[in-house]
């Protein structure tokens, strides 16, 4: 049965979409964040063929291939577009590169002049290869598999743009937020608009659901969390629900703790992805009556394998499997994960009965 108030306008047929519409399924649908990636030898081969990581993101043929690779192995209920959250700043004409052993490196945005150098006018031309990947996937994936489009949330993307890469304390981003509030608000407004356009275009090319990754949501105190995590996400969810009714949105405010509940209530997301720190019983009580929950196995358990993995899977299934639920990890797959451990996980979930 479709949940009252759900954005889904007709009863879906795919298991992943049924769960997002509020149905409780046994076994639950499952997919894994970063399910296409370096833990698979076939991915590494394709990545070498592509050249750089961004070249892979912008090569529709190869991006479709790496998206399909884990589906062939494990039979996930959903495929997620292979891309990266930093294609947005790249499309806004900020210099973005990925360096081996270092991660993303961007020319930092620190002043009004830096921000003035960004340009949204060429967004869709730059991202046309990503849209082509979505379109290709919409016909290439199995008929029973749902297609997820995604973006980074404005706050998380802004941290990379301001810091010039990853950060442990987000000092430059927070300094701008507090000491140059008008400049920071301009950047966030630009990101909300660019991200909204990007997600709508993914939907128009075949994405059936959207996930918004706010990886660094937990770095903000409550007042700023409400302003820069909840409010931009609310705007994006409202836009998607208004312009493309029936397309569900999953939010992932990683590290938000008890603010997860406020996030769910105030953003209007159809589903929420839980990080591994979230107490399962609390999530079942506080969140699952409000939306579908997704998660939240510790990715290191999939590296460890064996009985520890089995026990971890069972804990999550028993706690969350009695309501609307999608099995996933609490964050992305670790590159050192043995592929056979993912196969073990897949088989255990598929054979689970409540």
């Amino acid at each position: 049965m479709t949940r009252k108030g759900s954005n889904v306008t007709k009863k879906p047929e795919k298991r992943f979409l049924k769960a997002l519409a509020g149905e409780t399924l046994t076994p639950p649908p499952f997919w894994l964040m970063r399910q296409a990636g370096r833990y698979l030898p076939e991915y590494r081969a394709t990545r070498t063929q592509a050249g750089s990581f961004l070249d892979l993101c912008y090569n529709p043929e190869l991006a479709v291939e790496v998206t399909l690779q884990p589906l062939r192995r494990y039979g996930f209920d959903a495929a997620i577009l292979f891309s990266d959250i930093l294609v947005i700043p790249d499309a806004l004409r900020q210099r973005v590169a990925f360096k081996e052993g270092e991660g993303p490196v961007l020319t930092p945005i620190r002043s009004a002049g830096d921000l003035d150098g960004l340009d949204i006018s060429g967004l869709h031309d730059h991202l046309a290869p990503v849209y082509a990947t979505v379109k290709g996937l919409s016909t290439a994936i199995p008929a029973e598999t749902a297609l997820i489009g995604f973006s980074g949330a404005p706050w998380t993307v802004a941290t990379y743009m301001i810091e010039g890469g990853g950060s442990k304390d987000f000092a430059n981003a927070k300094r701008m937020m507090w000491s140059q509030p008008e400049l920071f608000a301009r950047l966030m407004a630009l990101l909300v608009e660019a991200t909204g356009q990007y997600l709508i275009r993914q939907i128009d090319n075949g994405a059936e659901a959207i996930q918004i990754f706010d990886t660094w949501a937990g770095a903000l105190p409550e007042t700023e969390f409400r302003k820069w995590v909840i409010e931009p996400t609310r705007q994006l969810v409202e836009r998607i629900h208004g312009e493309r009714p029936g397309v569900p949105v999953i939010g992932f405010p990683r590290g938000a703790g008890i603010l997860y509940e406020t996030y769910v209530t105030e953003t209007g997301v159809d589903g929420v992805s839980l990080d591994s720190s979230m107490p399962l019983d609390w999530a079942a009580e506080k969140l699952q009556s409000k939306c579908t929950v997704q998660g939240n196995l510790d990715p290191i358990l999939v590296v460890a394998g064996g009985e520890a993995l089995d026990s971890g899977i069972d804990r999550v299934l028993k706690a969350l499997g009695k309501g609307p639920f999608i099995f996933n990890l609490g964050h992305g797959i670790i590159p050192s994960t043995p592929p056979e451990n993912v196969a073990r996980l897949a088989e255990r979930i598929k054979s689970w009965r409540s």
Side-chain angles (χ1 to χ4, degrees):
M1 180 179 294
T2 300
R3 180 192 296 110
K4 182 179 180 181
S6 169
N7 176 59
V8 178
T9 54
K10 61 181 180 179
K11 190 172 182 179
E13 297 180 0
K14 298 181 180 183
R15 300 183 81 251
F16 173 83
L17 298 175
K18 285 182 177 182
L20 274 179
E23 291 193 42
T24 299
L25 303 175
T26 303
F30 75 111
W31 67 283
L32 304 179
M33 289 183 277
R34 293 185 189 158
Q35 61 190 26
R38 288 180 290 170
Y39 75 106
L40 292 176
E42 57 265 43
Y43 169 86
R44 294 194 294 271
T46 308
R47 165 75 184 269
T48 299
Q49 180 183 351
S52 75
F53 176 72
L54 275 178
D55 287 338
L56 178 54
C57 291
Y58 293 138
N59 184 317
E61 180 182 356
L62 297 183
V64 166
E65 167 58 22
V66 295
T67 305
L68 294 174
Q69 287 169 354
L71 301 183
R72 297 184 189 120
R73 279 184 178 252
Y74 308 117
F76 293 121
D77 292 289
I80 186 165
L81 161 71
F82 183 86
S83 186
D84 192 82
I85 66 171
L86 297 183
V87 297
I88 287 286
D90 193 48
L92 293 173
R93 301 188 182 179
Q94 184 178 16
R95 183 180 175 279
V96 179
F98 286 82
K99 297 186 177 180
E100 286 296 327
E102 189 175 347
V105 179
L106 300 83
T107 303
I109 303 296
R110 300 282 172 80
S111 68
D114 295 335
L115 183 55
D116 290 342
L118 302 182
D119 184 3
I120 199 173
S121 65
L123 181 81
H124 295 308
D125 286 342
H126 188 93
L127 296 174
V130 180
Y131 306 140
T133 299
V134 178
K135 194 172 187 67
L137 284 169
S138 69
T139 57
I141 61 176
E144 67 275 12
T145 306
L147 178 57
I148 307 169
F150 79 92
S151 73
W155 158 251
T156 287
V157 175
T159 67
Y160 287 96
M161 295 178 75
I162 298 166
E163 299 290 342
S167 175
K168 293 182 178 179
D169 58 11
F170 310 100
N172 292 298
K174 290 182 176 181
R175 185 181 301 119
M176 182 187 290
M177 179 180 67
W178 279 314
S179 66
Q180 299 176 280
E182 293 182 0
L183 181 64
F184 185 75
R186 277 182 57 203
L187 174 59
M188 290 293 285
L190 175 64
L191 287 172
V192 169
E193 179 58 30
T195 304
Q197 290 189 30
Y198 177 53
L199 292 175
I200 292 294
R201 193 64 68 95
Q202 287 185 44
I203 293 165
D204 289 346
N205 280 278
E208 298 171 284
I210 293 296
Q211 178 149 325
I212 300 172
F213 289 84
D214 219 342
T215 308
W216 305 125
L220 289 174
E222 181 181 2
T223 53
E224 284 70 27
F225 181 92
R226 288 176 177 273
K227 189 172 184 179
W228 300 122
V229 171
I230 288 178
E231 180 56 23
T233 303
R234 185 197 64 77
Q235 292 177 34
L236 291 171
V237 172
E238 186 176 83
R239 180 169 186 169
I240 292 167
H241 285 176
E243 296 184 19
R244 301 296 182 269
V247 177
V249 181
I250 305 168
F252 184 29
R254 183 172 175 241
I258 63 170
L259 290 174
Y260 258 94
E261 186 175 12
T262 307
Y263 176 94
V264 165
T265 302
E266 296 186 7
T267 61
V269 291
D270 303 280
V272 67
S273 199
L274 310 174
D275 64 66
S276 299
S277 71
M278 294 305 298
L280 295 172
D281 290 344
W282 184 90
E285 178 186 352
K286 299 291 186 180
L287 304 179
Q288 209 166 22
S289 62
K290 298 177 174 68
C291 73
T292 301
V293 295
Q294 175 178 275
N296 70 338
L297 188 73
D298 190 322
I300 301 297
L301 278 171
V302 195
V303 179
E307 293 183 4
L309 173 60
D310 294 346
S311 296
I313 293 168
D314 292 349
R315 268 196 311 274
V316 176
L317 289 170
K318 289 175 182 176
L320 301 177
K322 298 173 185 176
F325 173 53
I326 297 163
F327 193 100
N328 208 307
L329 304 179
H331 197 37
I333 291 181
I334 306 295
S336 59
T337 301
E340 59 269 25
N341 288 356
V342 181
R344 181 173 183 146
L345 176 149
E347 288 309 310
R348 195 164 189 89
I349 295 169
K350 290 176 183 179
S351 63
W352 183 74
R353 296 294 181 267
S354 59

